[in-house]
Amino acid sequence: MMAIQEFLPVPLTWFLLPLLAVLFYVYAVHPLFVFKKMGVPGIGFPLPIVGTSYQTAQMGVYNPEYSASDFGPVLGVFNGMNPILIVTDAEMIKEILVKQFHNFVNRQPEVQDINIKPQSRQVFQLRDEDWRNVRVALTPAFSGSKLKQMMAALNSCADQLVENLNSFVTTKESFDVKEMTGAFSMDVTARTIFGAEVNSQRDPQNPVIVHAKRAFDFNFKSPLMFLYLMFPSIAKPIFETINYHPFTPRDVTDFFDGVMEQLLEMRKTDGGKGRVDLLQIMIDAHQESGDESTNGPKVVGKKQPLTRDDVVGNGIGFFSAAFETLSTSMSFALYQLALNQEIQDKARQEINEVIGSEGEVDYEAVQKMSYLEMCIMETLRLYPLGASILRVSNEEARLKWVTVPKGMSVVIPALAIHYDPARWNEPRKFIPERFTKEEREKRNPMDWLPFGVGPRNCIGMRLALLELKVGLARALMKYRFVTGPDTVPVKLNKWKVLPVPMEPIRLRVEPLD
């Protein structure tokens, strides 16, 4: 080193400092001009390494204080050094989710895919042809004919819900709505996904319900979540090495992996005869090959059999997701109906007219409950299960005047769109009449996005709506839901991945005259 310095006309430090400054500019400063080159406005002043993380963090995930009008048609932000294009323009959204779907198939950058099986085989996380193969195999589970065969199981679970509510009629005490709907949701989900009876409404400490609750028990303030979101290229190899998944605790995965193993063994014994649940659909798709391998090559453009990891991963994924989303949406629906008694009466009147003297909530009756469906759709507008929709450009794509580079993340803020006064009159009010046939025809389809739109919309949407209708109809037929002295206005926790109130929703029930 001394010999080299003797030949340099200036000290080595003087040479290295400018070089480091140039490298710092190239790798940490120059990328921050990407949105300026695209002609897209930014938020605040992006800083090297951290980008606009502080400004965007203040918005939170579930923060209804912001609307699409605050963002403008497009807005550029930086999650660390990762540029993210926020899009609220309806025409651009349609291009992303429908017209140019081939350019925006994937839900996240590949660097954020944590390859830990079986979680990584869930249809929600798969990419490109892998996603198409599994989606095609799972779709038959949600056909009208399959849903119709699930009605007996749904009504059986609703019987227990009605019985549990009756205990609070006698005591006149308020109850935690999420606990009540969560037990119903657990039983329904276990029956429709696994064809199994859990009876969690009678046994709330059942290990299945305890672990299912923990499946979504994380928030974005976690240091490990921060590492994953800000520096995915660093987090990915570390997490995969230590077998850690940021979205699912390992013990939860191990528990449900064991449950799935038992269910698969049971199905081998009875052959799945007469079963119409999602698990049986996946088993049938798995047995098409007779090959137990989980790493076989995928043939592009040809339907592929599911692997065991596909079956287990999606069984776990659908079970935990369906349980949490159904109980959450049902809780918010009952809360709004308790606040708005005239709307509750109107929904109850329709239910009674449709069902008539028979009192049976069958598949055909549920399809006729249009006003109840409107109440559910308005609930999902105010409390969408996904605050935003994320896509990544596979190739360079043109969206009106904006050219999106290959590999850029694009976010559609569904919550902000649902609270946009330019799209919705009095957006913070609960008005089911927004979803009459006439009003829906007037509105742009891209203004209501709780299930997404296009080929990669929520695969379980039809089942979720059916479960909500059955549970709400059976409860409203018997009881009136009212607020109590301990009912507090709902304020969403902006750091949770699903809409969660800061304080539990507590209501009371009264017998109908």
Side-chain angles (χ1 to χ4, degrees), residues 240-512:
E240 290 178 350
T241 300
I242 64 175
N243 201 30
Y244 170 83
H245 201 286
F247 292 103
T248 312
R250 187 69 225 179
D251 63 314
V252 172
T253 303
D254 290 343
F255 174 82
F256 282 110
D257 196 5
V259 171
M260 287 293 295
E261 185 63 39
Q262 295 179 34
L263 290 170
L264 290 173
E265 287 300 317
M266 290 171 58
R267 296 297 171 95
K268 285 182 180 179
T269 302
D270 64 21
K273 294 180 181 179
R275 296 184 182 272
V276 293
D277 49 77
L278 176 64
L279 178 60
Q280 192 58 47
I281 297 289
M282 292 193 293
I283 290 174
D284 293 342
H286 169 54
Q287 292 175 342
E288 288 180 8
S289 68
D291 180 11
E292 293 295 322
S293 170
T294 62
N295 298 304
K298 299 291 184 182
V299 181
V300 176
K302 182 180 178 181
K303 182 180 177 182
Q304 297 295 310
L306 297 185
T307 66
R308 185 189 179 281
D309 281 331
D310 291 335
V311 176
V312 174
N314 282 287
I316 295 172
F318 275 102
F319 184 70
S320 56
F323 153 69
E324 187 66 28
T325 54
L326 173 59
S327 60
T328 297
S329 297
M330 195 170 176
S331 297
F332 285 122
L334 290 172
Y335 168 72
Q336 286 294 343
L337 291 173
L339 291 180
N340 299 275
Q341 289 295 316
E342 290 184 5
I343 294 174
Q344 184 180 156
D345 287 338
K346 189 172 180 179
R348 184 179 294 108
Q349 180 181 349
E350 177 192 65
I351 294 166
N352 292 332
E353 289 175 354
V354 169
I355 293 175
S357 59
E358 296 298 324
E360 182 179 352
V361 182
D362 58 23
Y363 186 79
E364 288 71 21
V366 169
Q367 305 310 310
K368 297 176 183 177
M369 297 177 185
S370 59
Y371 190 74
L372 181 61
E373 181 174 281
M374 289 158 56
C375 293
I376 292 171
M377 295 175 78
E378 177 69 341
T379 299
L380 294 172
R381 183 190 68 81
L382 287 170
Y383 314 103
L385 297 171
S388 59
I389 301 169
L390 177 63
R391 294 288 187 268
V392 178
S393 56
N394 282 348
E395 301 293 339
E396 182 179 276
R398 185 74 175 176
L399 304 176
K400 296 176 77 172
W401 71 88
V402 177
T403 299
V404 182
K406 178 180 179 179
M408 177 170 280
S409 297
V410 178
V411 166
I412 300 164
L415 185 75
I417 289 171
H418 289 184
Y419 280 82
D420 186 7
R423 289 167 160 93
W424 307 89
N425 183 39
E426 297 183 285
R428 285 165 175 75
K429 289 189 67 174
F430 184 76
I431 308 175
E433 285 73 16
R434 301 182 200 273
F435 293 96
T436 62
K437 181 181 179 182
E438 294 75 21
E439 289 298 315
R440 291 170 67 180
E441 289 175 351
K442 294 178 188 175
R443 190 180 305 118
N444 193 307
M446 302 300 124
D447 291 348
W448 186 74
L449 299 166
F451 296 106
V453 174
R456 197 155 188 173
N457 68 341
C458 175
I459 188 172
M461 176 179 67
R462 295 180 66 190
L463 175 59
L465 291 174
L466 181 65
E467 292 170 341
L468 278 169
K469 283 184 178 180
V470 172
L472 290 172
R474 291 291 306 278
L476 292 173
M477 285 168 58
K478 293 282 292 183
Y479 308 112
R480 176 177 299 281
F481 291 82
V482 298
T483 58
D486 53 354
T487 304
V488 298
V490 163
K491 184 178 181 181
L492 297 180
N493 186 335
K494 65 181 183 179
W495 297 109
K496 292 293 185 177
V497 71
L498 289 174
V500 176
M502 296 293 289
E503 300 290 335
I505 298 174
R506 300 193 67 85
L507 298 176
R508 293 187 297 116
V509 285
E510 298 175 349
L512 294 173

Side-chain angles (χ1 to χ4, degrees), residues 22-39:
V22 170
L23 291 175
F24 182 76
Y25 175 84
V26 171
Y27 289 101
V29 177
H30 182 68
L32 301 178
F33 292 99
V34 62
F35 290 118
K36 188 174 182 180
K37 294 177 181 177
M38 293 169 61

Side-chain angles (χ1 to χ4, degrees), residues 122-262:
Q122 294 175 7
V123 68
F124 321 110
Q125 301 183 38
L126 295 178
R127 309 175 64 82
D128 302 317
E129 287 303 314
D130 234 4
W131 164 76
R132 290 185 178 90
N133 289 329
V134 175
R135 174 89 181 204
V136 167
L138 297 178
T139 297
F142 304 99
S143 66
S145 60
K146 290 292 191 298
L147 296 180
K148 188 178 294 188
Q149 295 177 62
M150 296 178 183
M151 289 302 297
L154 297 185
N155 274 287
S156 174
C157 296
D159 287 339
Q160 187 62 50
L161 171 65
V162 170
E163 182 180 323
N164 287 356
L165 285 168
N166 188 60
S167 63
F168 293 101
V169 173
T170 304
T171 62
K172 297 182 179 181
E173 295 177 350
S174 64
F175 60 95
D176 185 328
V177 180
K178 183 65 182 296
E179 287 187 7
M180 186 68 64
T181 60
F184 167 72
S185 177
M186 174 61 67
D187 289 352
V188 165
T189 303
R191 295 282 284 272
T192 56
I193 303 297
F194 292 155
E197 293 190 31
V198 178
N199 290 326
S200 61
Q201 296 185 83
R202 294 177 178 173
D203 180 17
Q205 296 307 312
N206 187 298
V208 175
I209 192 169
V210 171
H211 284 83
K213 283 181 177 180
R214 292 189 55 230
F216 277 91
D217 187 20
F218 63 90
N219 64 58
F220 292 98
K221 287 186 175 181
S222 163
L224 290 175
M225 185 63 69
F226 176 83
L227 176 66
Y228 170 73
L229 293 175
M230 293 286 290
F231 307 105
S233 59
I234 297 175
K236 176 180 170 68
I238 295 175
F239 290 172
E240 290 178 350
T241 300
I242 64 175
N243 201 30
Y244 170 83
H245 201 286
F247 292 103
T248 312
R250 187 69 225 179
D251 63 314
V252 172
T253 303
D254 290 343
F255 174 82
F256 282 110
D257 196 5
V259 171
M260 287 293 295
E261 185 63 39
Q262 295 179 34

